[in-house]
Amino acid sequence: DVKVTQSSRYLVKRTGEKVFLECVQDMDHENMFWYRQDPGLGLRLIYFSYDVKMKEKGDIPEGYSVSREKKERFSLILESASTNQTSMYLCASSSGLAGGPGSGANVLTFGAGSRLTVL
Amino acid sequence: QKEVEQDPGPLSVPEGAIVSLNCTYSNSAFQYFMWYRQYSRKGPELLMYTYSSGNKEDGRFTAQVDKSSKYISLFIRDSQPSDSATYLCAMSSNSGYSTLTFGKGTMLLVSP
């Protein structure tokens, strides 16, 4: 019954490595998001996408890029990993546009998370 | 001033207690108010969803929104050990591509 799948639960990488975090959803959702979650800082939005090949910067995009070649897949890329990117990364998806009492755009379905450690 | 403020806790209560979790916010454009629950080592899941002001009840859970005070609450009646989790409030405005603004979460511990 898993709907948002993150390919790796735990990763350990070295400083300077290129890191790919993959996320796949099977709900035909238009919107996909990447967050990171850190103690004391909460959830912070890195990038999001409202359609295939579209991407928008979130609150903390520096050091990250994303790719959305297919509707169901949204990848987060760390071009050169640094120790301050050690974190829990959460992918989420939702449907439609915000607006209206029943807006599905606010109903995020999250993956289980990918815990990345950069040494 | 942060857009959404939420006490991080932890909040420890005995089983059966009534729990009150709260968030304050500063952006008057917020129209949609949500509570997400996150168990340890899991992603958050939607618990309650409210549009504009008022109350919404679902079983043991009641969500309240007071837009005049910019204050939202989640009440849990007859709390259970299985309610032990982190509760995150989230909000968004009524615009086409608005994203959610999350509180930092309150950790709740319900002891048997």
Side-chain angles (χ1 to χ4, degrees):
Chain A
D1 189 41
V2 177
K3 297 175 179 174
V4 177
T5 303
Q6 296 184 229
S7 55
S8 303
R9 289 299 307 273
Y10 301 95
L11 304 94
V12 180
K13 299 292 181 180
R14 297 211 173 271
T15 302
E17 280 192 77
K18 190 169 186 176
V19 181
F20 292 87
L21 298 179
E22 305 285 342
C23 176
V24 177
Q25 51 94 5
D26 63 1
M27 296 168 286
D28 200 35
H29 282 172
E30 295 85 358
N31 313 316
M32 296 190 74
F33 307 83
W34 274 106
Y35 290 87
R36 62 178 284 178
Q37 186 173 35
D38 301 285
L41 297 177
L43 279 167
R44 292 181 291 168
L45 181 62
I46 304 171
Y47 267 96
F48 57 102
S49 168
Y50 287 116
D51 202 350
V52 176
K53 297 192 186 295
M54 288 182 63
K55 58 185 178 183
E56 299 286 340
K57 292 180 180 179
D59 300 319
I60 51 163
E62 297 79 18
Y64 302 94
S65 62
V66 290
S67 173
R68 194 168 181 200
E69 296 295 321
K70 294 184 177 181
K71 187 177 184 180
E72 67 270 19
R73 186 179 297 270
F74 193 36
S75 302
L76 180 69
I77 303 154
L78 288 67
E79 294 289 343
S80 178
S82 63
T83 55
N84 63 13
Q85 293 178 310
T86 291
S87 185
M88 170 68 84
Y89 289 87
L90 288 159
C91 175
S93 69
S94 70
S95 64
L97 292 174
S103 173
N106 297 315
V107 181
L108 267 59
T109 301
F110 283 87
S114 298
R115 181 163 294 281
L116 171 67
T117 301
V118 183
L119 302 175
Chain B
Q1 182 184 12
K2 291 183 171 56
E3 273 201 299
V4 179
E5 300 271 10
Q6 185 177 10
D7 189 323
L11 176 62
S12 296
V13 301
E15 183 176 356
I18 297 174
V19 174
S20 173
L21 304 168
N22 311 293
C23 288
T24 60
Y25 64 95
S26 59
N27 187 347
S28 58
F30 287 146
Q31 297 280 344
Y32 303 91
F33 303 92
M34 289 134 276
W35 288 93
Y36 283 80
R37 177 176 61 193
Q38 185 176 20
Y39 290 115
S40 180
R41 291 185 291 276
K42 297 282 183 66
E45 58 180 349
L46 182 69
L47 187 61
M48 298 288 282
Y49 183 8
T50 308
Y51 172 69
S52 193
S53 285
N55 294 359
K56 184 174 183 179
E57 189 172 322
D58 184 2
R60 295 184 296 110
F61 299 90
T62 300
Q64 285 187 352
V65 175
D66 182 349
K67 290 185 68 179
S68 62
S69 302
K70 296 189 178 69
Y71 188 88
I72 70 170
S73 301
L74 177 71
F75 298 96
I76 307 174
R77 291 183 299 280
D78 188 24
S79 56
Q80 303 294 309
S82 58
D83 295 327
S84 297
T86 296
Y87 291 80
L88 302 107
C89 62
M91 312 172 188
S92 72
S93 62
N94 186 18
S95 63
Y97 286 129
S98 67
T99 57
L100 297 187
T101 300
F102 282 89
K104 293 181 180 180
T106 299
M107 181 183 292
L108 172 66
L109 302 170
V110 182
S111 55

